[in-house]
Amino acid sequence: MKEQPQKTYSYLQCRGSDTVLTIIQKVAAEYMREYPSIRLPLLGGGTSRGYKCVLDKTTDIGLASSPMSQDMQKWAKKQPVQINETLLGYDGLAAIVHPSNPLTNLSLNQLHDVFTGKVTEWKTLGWDKGGTIHVYSQDPGRGGYEPWKRIVAGENNFITLKATVINGSIIYKSVQEDPAAIGYVGVLTANKMNSKILSVNGVAPTQESIHEGTYPIRRELLLITAKGIENPEVDRFLAYCQHPEKGQAIVEKMGVVHAHSESKS
């Protein structure tokens, strides 16, 4: 019996943000149907891991749900590799609370006071029986931390040291188990896990409000590659991700604001 020739595949590894990973899983599945000779191994690990793996040349495409942190920028400047950022889409960051919490809205100023530790009791926010506020924050290596700190706490402030730091989007589990909790996750994750989401300044984080900018807390979802390294397969996949009828159609269907809704500044 004649042996069948073994198939050969080209591999593009993607690694980093768990939020972006959720989207890329869907995009990659369709991409591999269109290009069956390509395989896309996908790994999470956080936004910082996505940048680091591109800078140390251990992955083809990094996944990031925020720009580099200041500490990462300092480290990156010492590396021989520079990076390109390809915009995949926009996601909001949602303030989430326990389902028993009667509040439905906080202002951005109130969130600032809670996450910087200025306000520590729920009664200050209108919930007389809430007791002490339990703040949950993402680990600084995760993509949600930097934009939340910048927009909510402010550029020159820090999230309260009394916050419980949770590594990753599983922060929603801790909030769901603690009646006095408040935390934050990406809107995509919050909707998927049926978390109780607060409006901010009276605006709910919907696709429309994130697109229009009326919801004040949003972040860029990015694909990170190394400058000066020619790889036609990487270029083709990035083009697919940005194609309005292919990758971007999948992004929009998942509830993420697609990259072509406005140009990246």
Side-chain angles (χ1 to χ4, degrees):
M1 185 175 177
K2 188 176 180 180
E3 289 187 10
Q4 295 294 322
Q6 288 188 339
K7 291 183 178 180
T8 57
Y9 298 104
S10 295
Y11 291 86
L12 294 178
Q13 186 178 77
C14 302
R15 186 167 190 172
S17 163
D18 294 327
T19 296
V20 181
L21 180 66
T22 301
I23 303 166
I24 288 298
Q25 285 173 334
K26 299 284 187 182
V27 176
E30 293 302 318
Y31 185 80
M32 288 187 289
R33 288 190 184 97
E34 186 166 338
Y35 300 100
S37 64
I38 302 296
R39 290 292 180 266
L40 284 130
L42 307 174
L43 292 169
T47 288
S48 291
R49 182 61 59 84
Y51 281 111
K52 184 178 184 300
C53 288
V54 172
L55 289 165
D56 65 18
K57 302 180 183 180
T58 57
T59 198
D60 298 298
I61 301 171
L63 312 177
S65 53
S66 72
M68 279 191 197
S69 66
Q70 289 183 350
D71 288 342
M72 178 65 72
Q73 289 177 28
K74 292 176 184 177
W75 180 77
K77 286 179 180 178
K78 300 176 184 178
Q79 308 308 311
V81 175
Q82 292 183 309
I83 62 166
N84 285 316
E85 296 178 342
T86 299
L87 181 63
L88 181 64
Y90 298 95
D91 185 26
L93 284 170
I96 57 172
V97 294
H98 190 269
S100 66
N101 191 317
L103 299 181
T104 59
N105 176 75
L106 290 176
S107 69
L108 193 57
N109 286 337
Q110 287 173 319
L111 284 175
H112 169 274
D113 290 347
V114 167
F115 278 88
T116 57
K118 185 176 179 180
V119 168
T120 59
E121 298 292 325
W122 280 112
K123 65 182 179 182
T124 308
L125 304 172
W127 183 19
D128 291 339
K129 298 180 180 180
T132 301
I133 300 170
H134 297 166
V135 175
Y136 289 82
S137 178
Q138 293 190 17
D139 183 275
R142 294 287 171 165
Y145 177 85
E146 281 296 323
W148 189 267
K149 175 184 172 295
R150 173 172 47 83
I151 298 169
V152 175
E155 291 281 3
N156 299 318
N157 295 311
F158 295 94
I159 290 175
T160 175
L161 293 176
K162 293 183 179 180
T164 299
V165 177
I166 305 292
N167 188 15
S169 60
I170 58 169
I171 193 172
Y172 76 88
K173 291 183 178 179
S174 298
V175 173
Q176 287 177 341
E177 294 169 358
D178 182 352
I182 186 169
Y184 59 94
V185 293
V187 172
L188 186 66
T189 299
N191 287 331
K192 183 179 178 182
M193 299 305 171
N194 295 315
S195 299
K196 180 172 180 180
I197 300 172
L198 299 180
S199 296
V200 179
N201 293 344
V203 181
T206 64
Q207 242 183 325
E208 183 179 19
S209 65
I210 294 168
H211 172 205
E212 293 175 346
T214 53
Y215 182 75
I217 313 169
R218 78 171 190 177
R219 58 180 172 171
E220 296 175 335
L221 305 179
L222 303 166
L223 304 177
I224 310 302
T225 51
K227 284 184 179 179
I229 297 179
E230 293 186 11
N231 188 328
E233 294 295 351
V234 168
D235 293 341
R236 185 169 68 175
F237 181 68
L238 294 180
Y240 184 93
C241 288
Q242 289 208 304
H243 194 292
E245 296 176 1
K246 295 181 180 181
Q248 289 296 296
I250 298 169
V251 166
E252 188 169 19
K253 189 175 181 180
M254 292 184 71
V256 177
V257 177
H258 59 80
H260 298 291
S261 63
E262 62 179 87
S263 62
K264 181 175 181 276
S265 57

